Amino acid sequence: MLLKKEKLIVKIKDRLKDNKFKKSDIVQFWMYGEKIGLAFQVKDDILDVEGTREETGKSIGWEQKWFVYFLGLDTSKEYLKKLVNESFEIISVLHSEKLEFLTKYIGERRK
C-alpha cells in the first residue's frame, strides 16, 4: 500500500512539473484522500458489525471496530454519509468520473 502511495506522489509531482495540475488541485486531492480514506475505514468497521462472511469475504468480528465502538453504529453511519458527501463536494471541483465512481463504491460497498 505504501508503495502505491509513493508512486502516486511521484506521478502528481511529475504532472505538477508538466503543469497538468494546478497547485490548488493538489490541495483538493489531498483533502479528498483524507476524507475517502477515513470513509473507507468507517465503512469497514460498519461492515465488520453488520456484514456476513459471505457478503464481505472476510472473517467478521475479529478486527477492532473503533468507529462503531466509540461513536455507535448509527452515528458511524451518519459520519460515513458526511464523509462521502464531503468527498463528492471535493470531486465536483476536480471533475473526475473515476473518483466519483470510487466514492460511490466506498459508500455503498458490501465487501
Side-chain angles (χ1 to χ4, degrees):
M1 182 66 138
L2 184 59
L3 185 58
K4 288 181 182 181
K5 288 180 183 178
E6 289 174 355
K7 286 181 181 180
L8 179 61
I9 290 169
V10 169
K11 284 181 184 179
I12 290 171
K13 182 182 77 68
D14 289 343
R15 287 187 179 185
L16 265 177
K17 193 168 39 174
D18 295 338
N19 294 318
K20 293 181 182 175
F21 285 130
K22 297 179 284 188
K23 289 184 182 180
S24 61
D25 290 342
I26 298 303
V27 172
Q28 296 297 319
F29 278 116
W30 188 269
M31 289 172 45
Y32 174 79
E34 287 183 342
K35 301 267 183 210
I36 205 64
L38 195 52
F40 184 91
Q41 187 57 55
V42 172
K43 182 67 174 191
D44 202 52
D45 288 1
I46 292 168
L47 287 175
D48 202 41
V49 171
E50 290 188 329
T52 65
R53 183 177 186 155
E54 292 76 27
E55 287 177 319
T56 63
K58 64 178 188 171
S59 297
I60 300 299
W62 290 100
E63 295 181 13
Q64 293 291 333
K65 299 163 273 302
W66 294 107
F67 288 100
V68 175
Y69 177 77
F70 287 111
L71 300 176
L73 184 58
D74 291 336
T75 304
S76 294
K77 288 179 179 181
E78 287 299 315
Y79 187 47
L80 173 64
K81 190 183 300 184
K82 178 181 183 284
L83 290 167
V84 168
N85 287 338
E86 289 173 353
S87 296
F88 275 122
E89 287 175 21
I90 294 168
I91 293 168
S92 69
V93 174
L94 298 172
H95 308 289
S96 171
E97 291 179 17
K98 291 178 182 178
L99 293 181
E100 285 180 24
F101 174 82
L102 177 65
T103 303
K104 185 176 179 183
Y105 171 77
I106 287 175
E108 298 174 355
R109 75 187 179 98
R110 296 300 302 162
K111 292 184 175 190

